[in-house]
Amino acid sequence: MEKMRLTMLPLVVLVLGFVTRVSPGCRKLEMGTEEDPEVKEAVDFIQEKVIITVLLGPEFIGLDGDGGDDTGALHNIKELNKAPSISNHRYYQHGDSSLPNLRKCPSVKCHRFLAIVMDSSGSVGSDDFQKEAAFVKTLSKILLMKANEYNLKMCLTIIIYSTNVRVVTNACCGNSLCAIIPKLDQLLTYEGGGTNTAGALKVARQSLQGSSNYGRSVLLITDGQSNDMHGTIQVAKSMREEDEAKIIALGVGTGINYDELNGIVGSSNGDSLERVIHDFNQFHELANILLAKNTAGGSKTYETICDVNSMKYNYC
């Protein structure tokens, strides 16, 4: 595999509500067993576009090994103490008094930064939100294992939105994934209400710029159309064009607005950035398959990586 050097390239990944109808630009993935070609396609898509790309990014992959997969040691890993930060005059201010206003924290340094933005609106419902939360917890464990494998530090912010927007865990608090994961059952609580996707993306954009890092990502989960389609698309466009962000969409549910979905994703230069799968039950199943895939071959697990001393959680 050709060696590639690290560059600062924000990435935004959206996981959007699973849908049952399909537009020309989106693909529906019905799930059964892992041997099902469509399930394998969904697993491969999330493995490549969400797990590997969020953590490493295509510009990060310069691996020792046979060059045929994502195993091995990264080349040219940047030093954490040299991680760049956004200048004060460029730091994003959303100007909305109804939203959380996150402070800048350049002293928090990471190779990769991820903000997970979770839909807790009334259309999701309490039961499906718990499946969404289980997926987020499983994904967090996988990202921890991958970061440990490649000796990278990853920062994590989690945001829940419905009518209001709530920051569940803030990367500026300096918590490790080992500290965050045990708290997720307590922190990820259902709210109900509207679908303020634009507000959630505004807070996520601000959060992305808070720490010093070499690469940023957002994972947005929603089950349908936002309250403000135009505002949502405009925030996403700003993140793509001004923050050089890539947006990837994976749909879950029955209420997707495809015009909004495609407006959020934008042009992909031929690279498929949308996937559609069926419902939250399959979302949960998919998480379990991905966990098994990423723990095969004797990889260290969350339980073996984290010790009691690394699980102290800081509130800020």
Side-chain angles (χ1 to χ4, degrees):
M1 180 179 294
E2 180 184 0
K3 298 181 181 180
M4 300 182 185
R5 65 182 180 86
L6 294 166
T7 57
M8 183 176 179
L9 178 61
L11 167 72
V12 179
V13 180
L14 288 96
V15 177
L16 290 149
F18 297 79
V19 298
T20 55
R21 69 183 182 88
V22 181
S23 74
C26 299
R27 304 182 63 184
K28 179 181 176 184
L29 302 176
E30 298 282 359
M31 297 178 59
T33 66
E34 189 177 2
E35 288 72 26
D36 186 317
E38 290 181 331
V39 176
K40 184 179 185 304
E41 186 178 351
V43 169
D44 290 346
F45 175 79
I46 296 180
Q47 182 73 19
E48 176 187 354
K49 301 296 185 183
V50 180
I51 295 172
I52 298 302
T53 303
V54 163
L55 184 61
L56 304 177
E59 78 281 8
F60 279 35
I61 300 179
L63 302 167
D64 294 322
D66 63 15
D69 55 27
D70 63 320
T71 61
L74 283 173
H75 297 302
N76 303 323
I77 296 177
K78 298 283 189 174
E79 297 179 31
L80 273 179
N81 62 3
K82 295 181 179 179
S85 62
I86 296 292
S87 60
N88 289 334
H89 76 275
R90 288 188 56 213
Y91 185 58
Y92 176 64
Q93 299 292 340
H94 51 64
D96 188 336
S97 61
S98 69
L99 298 175
N101 190 40
L102 303 185
R103 63 183 176 86
K104 194 167 179 282
C105 54
S107 62
V108 175
K109 300 179 185 295
C110 42
H111 292 105
R112 277 300 207 181
F113 180 98
L114 173 64
I116 300 178
V117 184
M118 300 177 62
D119 190 342
S120 182
S121 63
S123 58
V124 173
S126 178
D127 289 345
D128 281 345
F129 180 80
Q130 296 308 314
K131 296 164 190 170
E132 181 183 349
F135 174 81
V136 168
K137 186 172 182 178
T138 300
L139 180 62
S140 299
K141 288 182 177 181
I142 294 170
L143 292 171
L144 168 66
M145 290 185 288
K146 286 295 183 183
N148 179 77
E149 179 180 351
Y150 296 119
N151 196 29
L152 298 173
K153 181 181 177 183
M154 185 168 189
C155 296
L156 179 66
T157 284
I158 299 178
I159 297 166
I160 288 177
Y161 70 100
S162 54
T163 301
N164 300 313
V165 177
R166 175 165 60 93
V167 179
V168 173
T169 182
N170 187 348
C172 282
C173 297
N175 288 306
S176 67
L177 288 174
C178 284
I180 292 170
I181 290 168
K183 285 285 186 180
L184 292 182
D185 288 338
Q186 172 187 339
L187 295 172
L188 300 181
T189 57
Y190 176 69
E191 296 190 1
T195 310
N196 187 7
T197 314
L201 285 177
K202 288 177 182 179
V203 177
R205 186 182 182 194
Q206 190 177 57
S207 181
L208 285 178
Q209 297 184 359
S211 67
S212 300
N213 57 75
Y214 292 107
R216 313 170 198 146
S217 311
V218 173
L219 174 62
L220 171 66
I221 304 172
T222 184
D223 78 329
Q225 181 174 332
S226 67
N227 295 346
D228 179 4
M229 174 178 165
H230 176 76
T232 299
I233 290 174
Q234 286 303 308
V235 176
K237 181 179 179 183
S238 295
M239 296 173 85
R240 293 196 314 267
E241 296 180 357
E242 297 174 25
D243 301 339
E244 300 179 30
K246 176 184 283 186
I247 301 179
I248 301 172
L250 172 65
V252 190
T254 58
I256 292 297
N257 180 315
Y258 287 97
D259 290 335
E260 181 176 49
L261 178 65
N262 293 325
I264 291 169
V265 170
S267 174
S268 62
N269 297 319
D271 184 22
S272 179
L273 299 178
E274 304 105 350
R275 284 295 186 276
V276 180
I277 52 183
H278 189 64
D279 61 28
F280 282 94
N281 288 322
Q282 296 167 341
F283 197 21
H284 182 59
E285 176 189 359
L286 182 58
N288 291 334
I289 295 171
L290 286 165
L291 182 61
K293 181 181 180 70
N294 284 280
T295 53
S299 299
K300 288 186 177 180
T301 65
Y302 159 72
E303 290 77 12
T304 59
I305 293 169
C306 300
D307 58 41
V308 173
N309 293 328
S310 66
M311 296 182 182
K312 182 180 178 182
Y313 188 82
N314 301 312
Y315 292 89
C316 66

